[in-house]
Amino acid sequence: MIVDLIAYGVFVTVTTLLIISNFRQRAKRKILAADLLQQTLDKMALLQHVEKLTAEAQSKDIEQTDGFLKFVSDSRDWAFQYIEAVQEALEAFDKRISPTLEYYATFGTVVEGLHQDLTKEFSEAYEELKKVLPQEKV
């Protein structure tokens, strides 16, 4: 009988200790589950933020690239317009001055003097300038 009472007391004590341990384990598991859930939510929020920043960076890169390409295109168009305008001005100059210079090269001047040296210098500079003009297609 005493042995039964001791056995019963040990049984009740062990059962009580196991129940208390079970409640503690459940409480720890709830805390760990809550921590895991919070960490998962933080990770998802962080990933969304990283994706957003990556998308913004790519968007800025594309905008900068588009802006640079527009600048290059505009600069190219302006350069071609400038070249055409300069060529037209040089051709107009050529049409206006060429007959006079050809006359002086063929017949010379009536009176020797300062004008003859200036005309010769002007003719040489003019011939150098004509070299940069596009050749006329015949």
Side-chain angles (χ1 to χ4, degrees), residues 75-89:
S75 297
R76 182 176 176 261
D77 292 342
W78 178 85
F80 281 131
Q81 290 172 355
Y82 177 77
I83 290 169
E84 287 175 7
V86 168
Q87 285 179 346
E88 288 173 3

Side-chain angles (χ1 to χ4, degrees), residues 34-50:
D35 286 345
L36 178 63
L37 178 63
Q38 185 62 44
Q39 288 177 357
T40 304
L41 292 174
D42 291 346
K43 180 181 175 184
M44 290 172 58
L46 185 61
L47 286 174
Q48 287 176 348
H49 186 68
V50 167

Side-chain angles (χ1 to χ4, degrees), residues 1 5 11 23 37-38 41 73 85 96 99 106 108 118 124 133:
M1 175 105 174
L5 282 175
F11 173 75
F23 283 127
L37 178 63
Q38 185 62 44
L41 292 174
S73 177
R96 187 168 178 192
T106 306
L118 288 174
E124 290 171 0
L133 285 175

